[in-house]
Amino acid sequence: FEMLFGHLPYRFSLYDSDNLSQIRQFALSDGIEVLVMTIDSFKTAANLIHQPTDWLAGDAPIHLIQACRPVLILDEPQNMESELSIKALAALHPLMALRYSATHRNPYNLVYRLTPFEAYRQALVKRIEVAGVVEESGEAQPYVRLDRVDVKKMKTSARVTIHKLMKSGVVRDSTITVRPGDSLAEKSGRSQYEGHEIDEINPGSEFIRLANGVEIAVGESVGSEREALFDAQIRYTIEEHLRRQARLRDRGIKVLTLFFVDRVDNYTGEEPLIKDLFDAAFTDLRSKYEGWAELPASDVRAAYFAQKRRRSGLPELLDSHSGSTQEDADAFRLIMRDKERLLSFEEPVAFIFSHSALREGWDNPNVFQICTLSQSVSQVKKRQEVGRGVRLCRDQEGLVVHDDRVNVLTVVANESYQTFVEALQLEVEEDFGADGVGPKPPDARKRGLSTLVKERTLLPEFEELWNRIKKKTRYSVRIDTEALLVDVMPRINALETAEPRISVTKAAFVVGESDLFEAMQVSGAKTAASLAGRHPLPNLVAMMGELLENTTPPVRLTRDTLLEVYRRLDDKAKAMLNPHEFAAGAARVLKDVLADHLVNGIEYTPIGDCYEMTQLETELEAWEQYLVESPSSIYDRVVVDSDVERKFVKGLEDREDVLVYFKLPRWFKVTTPVGAYNPDWALVMQERDEHGEPTDEPHLFLVRETKGANWKTSLRPSERRKVSAGAQHFDAIGVDYGVLSSTSELP
């Protein structure tokens, strides 16, 4: 108000029902008056503000407020949408109401909107960076996490997270639904889960029991290095805190760090894992940084865990976890009320532990690190967690510091930074919709049709072309096992295998051109802890076989062949250092080399089946910009996929010796050992003499594949193998086949 209205006098006060005379000051002052009230203080007729009073000659204090037509400024108005609340606000006879919230239920008349992206772009909040702490190569062990238990129509089920074998390999953190009797070995496709059948799902106590007797409660997991992950996160966070405080102390800025624990018992219980890990890590690291060496861990940390209890049928928020100790009360006052003291260097507490993202609305501008310690899918949104630390920081004088180099929030998450950013992006889209994310650029492209010209399909040249190319074949393959082993072993022996570990990778948030949060990696993966030797060795041969059989197409090698791969290893200890990583690498090499052997040893034989001309679609829909007019094709317009194809079509249209051509439809496929192959073009050419006149030579019936000029070196191995197999198929049915990049390479 001072800045806006030229130092006009103003006053503010907190409404106190025991001091109703302040209402007179508010209503009759000729200056700017601000009165802060809760809606419960005037919502019902029983409130004192509605009662007649002698000092107003029997009038009620609320009438003074009504007479001056106040301006209402509502904080979190979505909590004031009940019929009683709306009536109470209207009873103040306001001139207008300004509603401020990030999550409006009813936007009324939208005046201004500041989305997370705009706030971030305008540097109104801290920059964000994410340090992803993940367990590398932990797929060798059977991991199971119970996310929730469901009961529907008297049937129980559970959502669990496992490491599942997919076509792309082992996918970590794949969530599935299970029911009593389900086998996780079948659900995951991995032999490591043998013995992990769902024996019981208990909805009352919310746990599952496996056939091996292991019980897992909601939020808990087995098969992960939870303690090692927590330790790596806590140590990284403490060191980040101490380093940042050393940089910012001379600027009068105190650094705070916020830890979100997964379970309160992990901090306050009889075996407080998180508290013990913090104390040990802080004691190890404090001596490296000035001013910390003499401080015990217990002096620099405090905790606040809100709980719900019921009194008179209504939920009431407890001020601390137990409310029974002086330590609880002191921590509550420091964290929730004495924010100025918390920001002073005289107060040693700098690390705060809480749960559920302090949903009561707490935040502090000097939170520079947020560490999310969770062994389960967080029930708290990423935006809630990040929101606790995005305010611009303040110095010892309480002044806001506007410096992008200082205002950086580091989130230490127990997931990869890519996963964290994707989850945050999705939450912003869900909360703000497409407009909040930023409008997508309009698609100016229009849809068009490519229509079959039946007269051209009746040409004798086209009929003969179709009769030549329509034949289907089958293939057979012979593999020389010894030759395969000779080719694969040098590459397998050269594989680099890293030990299983917990790694930390840091990335910075940026807002991209499409108004989307993106992650820009700023550091390589650093090993935070080694996990080598912590688990029994799995069946390496079975693991390689499973990985090969789940590829596309499946690859099946005999157990003896896979065992021979292990026997011929130069360094068997390297394979045992990280069996899963080695098995995955060996499977990739085997699949790659085997694909070459399959294509080189293939033989095609024509069969009686063939493609029918009636399968040609009468209309093809495509974007207008991908349609090219064509007087010579069997379609009035040709659908092209690339500039190479566009130039090729133009070249065909410019040549008089091309009688008819068409792009082979997507369903016209040649089977190969490395997947189905769809060739590009079929065409009929008429021989011409040196003067360009037609000759009596037979027509040329060709199938051609269009690729870029450097296709022999730039083509992906899988595509190159398909082209090679396709050439052998067309050779078997007597059709001239080739690969070219322009029409100048035609005969």
Side-chain angles (χ1 to χ4, degrees):
F1 282 127
E2 286 187 4
M3 293 172 61
L4 290 172
F5 302 116
H7 303 288
L8 287 176
Y10 73 93
R11 289 165 42 90
F12 71 89
S13 58
L14 303 178
Y15 172 76
D16 182 0
S17 60
D18 292 333
N19 182 23
L20 292 177
S21 61
Q22 67 184 160
I23 300 294
R24 184 193 298 275
Q25 171 67 33
F26 173 79
L28 302 181
S29 170
D30 59 358
I32 298 173
E33 292 284 336
V34 179
L35 181 61
V36 181
M37 309 175 72
T38 65
I39 194 168
D40 288 334
S41 64
F42 61 89
K43 187 189 293 187
T44 67
N47 293 127
L48 290 178
I49 199 170
H50 293 283
Q51 304 302 314
T53 179
D54 292 340
W55 60 271
L56 284 178
D59 206 352
I62 195 170
H63 295 159
L64 285 176
I65 296 178
Q66 293 171 341
C68 71
R69 303 296 306 277
V71 173
L72 299 186
I73 300 178
L74 308 181
D75 184 33
E76 305 296 355
Q78 71 275 8
N79 298 325
M80 308 175 199
E81 293 289 339
S82 70
E83 184 176 345
L84 185 60
S85 295
I86 294 173
K87 184 177 179 180
L89 293 172
L92 296 176
H93 294 184
L95 181 67
M96 61 185 296
L98 303 175
R99 293 171 167 85
Y100 289 87
S101 175
T103 54
H104 290 280
R105 276 187 205 163
N106 186 346
Y108 293 94
N109 302 299
L110 184 62
V111 175
Y112 180 72
R113 187 181 202 183
L114 184 67
T115 68
F117 301 105
E118 276 304 311
Y120 201 78
R121 183 182 289 110
Q122 296 178 32
L124 301 177
V125 293
K126 288 192 184 86
R127 299 302 180 196
I128 303 171
E129 60 183 19
V130 180
V133 182
V134 296
E135 182 180 352
E136 301 278 0
S137 304
E139 299 89 345
Q141 301 306 312
Y143 172 80
V144 185
R145 184 183 71 214
L146 177 59
D147 296 331
R148 72 171 189 261
V149 174
D150 297 321
V151 180
K152 292 181 180 178
K153 297 181 179 179
M154 302 304 292
K155 294 183 178 180
T156 60
S157 64
R159 293 286 286 174
V160 300
T161 295
I162 60 175
H163 296 335
K164 188 176 181 180
L165 185 57
M166 307 287 281
K167 298 298 182 184
S168 57
V170 176
V171 177
R172 295 172 63 95
D173 298 336
S174 178
T175 303
I176 61 172
T177 298
V178 295
R179 293 175 177 81
D182 282 352
S183 167
L184 293 187
E186 295 179 3
K187 290 276 189 177
S188 66
R190 306 183 67 205
S191 60
Q192 286 90 336
Y193 284 89
E194 292 293 344
H196 286 63
E197 289 79 28
I198 306 298
D199 189 47
E200 178 185 347
I201 299 177
N202 191 312
S205 301
E206 293 194 310
F207 72 83
I208 61 173
R209 181 184 294 114
L210 304 178
N212 58 11
V214 174
E215 291 186 0
I216 309 172
V218 169
E220 292 184 345
S221 62
V222 296
S224 69
E225 293 290 344
R226 180 169 64 101
E227 183 172 337
L229 272 170
F230 282 1
D231 185 51
Q233 283 184 267
I234 290 169
R235 285 181 176 272
Y236 183 90
T237 304
I238 292 173
E239 189 144 26
E240 190 78 10
H241 177 113
L242 298 178
R243 291 170 61 186
R244 181 166 277 155
Q245 184 62 85
R247 293 197 304 269
L248 300 183
R249 180 174 291 275
D250 289 344
R251 299 191 60 168
I253 300 171
K254 181 180 176 181
V255 174
L256 299 178
T257 289
L258 183 57
F259 288 92
F260 289 126
V261 303
D262 62 328
R263 297 167 59 195
V264 175
D265 282 349
N266 274 338
Y267 188 88
T268 64
E270 294 181 1
E271 297 181 0
L273 173 63
I274 288 174
K275 183 193 289 184
D276 291 346
L277 289 174
F278 174 86
D279 289 356
F282 179 78
T283 303
D284 288 346
L285 296 169
R286 62 184 177 179
S287 60
K288 299 179 183 179
Y289 298 90
E290 184 180 353
W292 296 92
E294 303 302 321
L295 287 172
S298 58
D299 284 3
V300 300
R301 56 172 167 77
Y304 168 66
F305 302 111
Q307 286 191 331
K308 297 282 186 178
R309 72 179 178 189
R310 291 193 171 272
R311 177 183 294 173
S312 303
L314 296 174
E316 180 184 1
L317 188 66
L318 281 176
D319 281 347
S320 62
H321 174 60
S322 66
S324 60
T325 68
Q326 186 61 40
E327 181 182 353
D328 287 336
D330 291 344
F332 170 75
R333 280 194 295 271
L334 176 63
I335 296 171
M336 301 301 292
R337 293 179 178 170
D338 298 340
K339 293 185 180 181
E340 289 86 354
R341 178 160 68 91
L342 188 58
L343 291 180
S344 71
F345 286 130
E346 286 73 24
E347 173 55 57
V349 170
F351 300 90
I352 301 167
F353 290 80
S354 189
H355 184 265
S356 303
L358 289 162
R359 284 176 291 186
E360 294 71 48
W362 182 93
D363 57 18
N364 192 295
N366 283 32
V367 170
F368 284 92
Q369 288 78 224
I370 293 177
C371 180
T372 58
L373 300 168
S374 173
Q375 65 191 74
S376 66
V377 177
S378 175
Q379 300 302 311
V380 179
K381 287 191 171 185
K382 296 286 186 291
R383 278 210 312 129
Q384 269 187 287
E385 293 175 339
V386 171
R388 301 305 121 197
V390 295
R391 289 184 184 271
L392 301 182
C393 69
R394 293 175 179 264
D395 60 21
Q396 293 298 289
E397 297 181 4
L399 300 177
V400 176
V401 177
H402 296 278
D403 187 335
D404 286 351
R405 295 168 299 177
V406 170
N407 285 300
V408 178
L409 173 67
T410 302
V411 180
V412 184
N414 62 337
E415 58 190 341
S416 72
Y417 66 83
Q418 298 100 324
T419 302
F420 187 94
V421 172
E422 289 168 3
L424 180 64
Q425 174 69 37
L426 183 60
E427 287 175 10
V428 172
E429 291 187 27
E430 288 175 349
D431 288 344
F432 287 86
D435 292 338
V437 174
K440 298 289 189 294
D443 194 343
R445 299 179 298 178
K446 296 180 180 179
R447 302 291 283 180
L449 291 177
S450 170
T451 305
L452 184 68
V453 182
K454 293 185 178 179
E455 294 80 3
R456 297 177 192 171
T457 64
L458 298 177
L459 293 172
E461 294 86 357
F462 178 76
E463 290 185 357
E464 185 174 352
L465 173 65
W466 185 264
N467 288 332
R468 286 174 178 251
I469 68 173
K470 70 180 181 180
K471 301 170 187 174
K472 295 183 180 180
T473 60
R474 69 164 60 96
Y475 68 84
S476 59
V477 177
R478 289 186 177 182
I479 297 294
D480 185 332
T481 302
E482 181 59 30
L484 175 66
L485 290 169
V486 168
D487 284 351
V488 301
M489 289 316 299
R491 290 176 57 180
I492 291 179
N493 280 319
L495 287 173
E496 293 294 332
T497 305
E499 63 183 9
R501 62 205 177 277
I502 291 175
S503 67
V504 182
T505 308
K506 183 183 283 189
F509 270 39
V510 295
V511 177
E513 293 182 359
S514 301
D515 277 353
L516 301 176
F517 278 133
E518 299 173 0
M520 180 177 65
Q521 187 173 340
V522 296
S523 76
K526 309 295 184 183
T527 298
S530 172
L531 303 177
R534 296 197 181 201
H535 304 290
L537 295 175
N539 187 323
L540 186 64
V541 171
M543 195 181 296
M544 284 192 289
E546 287 175 354
L547 291 168
L548 285 168
E549 288 188 18
N550 278 272
T551 58
T552 304
V555 175
R556 295 178 179 86
L557 294 177
T558 66
R559 183 181 180 85
D560 288 342
T561 301
L562 295 174
L563 189 57
E564 190 61 28
V565 170
Y566 177 73
R567 290 195 185 104
R568 298 191 187 192
L569 283 176
D570 292 341
D571 186 359
K572 294 180 175 59
K574 183 172 66 173
M576 295 298 102
L577 177 67
N578 192 333
H580 181 272
E581 186 171 318
F582 173 81
R588 286 194 300 270
V589 172
L590 281 164
K591 181 186 177 184
D592 189 49
V593 175
L594 182 62
D596 286 332
H597 280 247
L598 288 171
V599 171
N600 293 336
I602 197 170
E603 290 184 4
Y604 279 94
T605 305
I607 58 178
D609 198 9
C610 62
Y611 287 109
E612 298 294 338
M613 195 186 302
T614 55
Q615 292 178 252
L616 292 170
E617 294 94 335
T618 56
E619 288 183 339
L620 302 173
E621 188 179 22
W623 297 113
E624 281 284 354
Q625 68 185 71
Y626 297 138
L627 292 171
V628 180
E629 297 290 337
S630 172
S632 303
S633 170
I634 63 171
Y635 286 91
D636 62 348
R637 296 198 289 179
V638 179
V639 182
V640 297
D641 296 331
S642 64
D643 286 339
V644 172
E645 289 192 353
R646 183 183 297 277
K647 292 176 182 178
F648 185 74
V649 169
K650 187 177 185 307
L652 292 176
E653 295 294 342
D654 290 342
R655 290 186 60 148
E656 295 181 355
D657 55 351
V658 176
L659 301 181
V660 65
Y661 72 94
F662 74 112
K663 188 175 184 181
L664 290 162
R666 294 189 182 279
W667 46 260
F668 191 102
K669 293 180 178 179
V670 177
T671 57
T672 83
V674 289
Y677 166 58
N678 174 220
D680 285 338
W681 308 93
L683 60 151
V684 182
M685 296 185 66
Q686 185 180 49
E687 287 280 7
R688 301 282 176 131
D689 61 21
E690 63 272 19
H691 301 291
E693 297 296 327
T695 69
D696 295 331
E697 294 294 325
H699 293 338
L700 300 177
F701 300 90
L702 312 176
V703 172
R704 289 295 184 266
E705 182 77 19
T706 46
K707 299 295 182 186
N710 300 318
W711 69 272
K712 291 183 179 180
T713 56
S714 62
L715 211 58
R716 289 178 300 176
S718 60
E719 287 298 313
R720 188 172 63 250
R721 292 174 189 129
K722 288 180 181 180
V723 167
S724 177
Q728 296 181 67
H729 159 82
F730 285 111
D731 183 60
I733 62 175
V735 173
D736 189 320
Y737 171 88
V739 182
L740 44 72
S741 55
S742 72
T743 53
S744 63
E745 299 172 41
L746 288 170

